[in-house]
């Protein structure tokens, strides 16, 4: 999962205005119109799929490093990318939980 994809997802979650970063992020997901035209579930599924692929790549690179078949630089880059993906996923989870708690506190 790329940081650009997560930024686009974050702008969808928060409903914020499109800044230059959000526009670039949306463009990396297939264009601004593509992100705005998709529903939230499909964007979330796409980001989750990219995240899982990044985590699998990091794990494979780490195993290759342990076996001595992958260069150290490649292992470090893959593991750092996987770590960023995990941190972003945790941040998204925290934001969703916070939004749910805020909604549940609203008077009906």
């Amino acid at each position: 999962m790329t940081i650009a994809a997560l930024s686009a997802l974050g702008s969808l979650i928060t409903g914020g205005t499109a800044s230059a970063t959000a526009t670039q992020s949306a463009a990396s997901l297939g264009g601004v119109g593509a992100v705005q035209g998709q529903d939230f579930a499909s964007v979330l599924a796409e980001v989750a799929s990219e995240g899982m692929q990044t985590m699998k790549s990091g794990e494979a690179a780490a195993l290759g490093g342990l076996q001595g078949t992958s260069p150290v630089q490649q292992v470090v880059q893959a593991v750092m990318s996987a770590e960023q993906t995990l941190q972003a996923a945790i941040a998204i989870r925290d934001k969703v939980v916070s939004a749910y708690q805020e909604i549940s506190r609203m008077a009906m």
Side-chain angles (χ1 to χ4, degrees):
M1 176 171 11
T2 63
I3 297 300
L6 290 172
S7 297
L9 179 63
S11 69
L12 286 174
I13 290 173
T14 59
T17 58
S19 64
T21 304
T23 303
Q24 290 171 351
S25 301
S28 73
L29 281 174
V32 175
V35 171
Q36 291 175 351
Q38 291 180 348
D39 62 344
F40 179 74
S42 64
V43 172
L44 188 60
E46 183 179 339
V47 170
S49 175
E50 289 179 20
M52 289 301 298
Q53 185 60 38
T54 302
M55 297 298 286
K56 287 178 183 178
S57 296
E59 184 177 319
L63 288 174
L66 289 173
Q67 295 170 347
T69 58
S70 296
V72 175
Q73 182 179 1
Q74 181 183 2
V75 172
V76 170
Q77 287 175 341
V79 170
M80 292 299 291
S81 178
E83 182 182 0
Q84 285 180 335
T85 299
L86 180 62
Q87 289 175 353
I90 290 170
I92 290 171
R93 181 209 58 195
D94 292 346
K95 188 73 171 176
V96 168
V97 168
S98 174
Y100 174 77
Q101 289 174 341
E102 187 174 325
I103 290 170
S104 67
R105 283 191 296 255
M106 288 182 178
M108 293 179 130

